[in-house]
Amino acid sequence: MLAIREIVTRDIFTGYEVPEEFGDEFEMILVPINNRIKNEEEEKIKMKHQEENGFSKNILAQESEDVWNDI
């Protein structure tokens, strides 16, 4: 994922109320949101591929692996 991380001071946030508990320096992370939906779709595709691997289909799908149902 593309992101910008930078240590900043409270001086750059003139339009925002930053809690005093954050101190005088803190990390700012900028992440673009226009690619968020695309990234979520890619993650779903990756998860689908992970679920459909050979081990899951051939080993875990065997009846002998269903021992948890007997407990």
Side-chain angles (χ1 to χ4, degrees), residues 4 13 18 22 30 58:
I4 298 173
F13 290 104
V18 179
F22 279 38
L30 297 174
N58 298 322

Side-chain angles (χ1 to χ4, degrees), residues 21-39:
E21 295 85 27
F22 279 38
D24 292 329
E25 290 187 340
F26 37 88
E27 183 175 23
M28 179 179 66
I29 302 173
L30 297 174
V31 180
I33 60 170
N34 58 347
N35 292 332
R36 187 181 72 205
I37 294 171
K38 181 182 174 188
N39 290 340

Side-chain angles (χ1 to χ4, degrees), residues 5-29:
R5 299 173 65 178
E6 189 173 334
I7 303 297
V8 296
T9 61
R10 126 180 351 268
D11 300 334
I12 70 167
F13 290 104
T14 57
Y16 298 93
E17 184 177 325
V18 179
E20 291 295 325
E21 295 85 27
F22 279 38
D24 292 329
E25 290 187 340
F26 37 88
E27 183 175 23
M28 179 179 66
I29 302 173

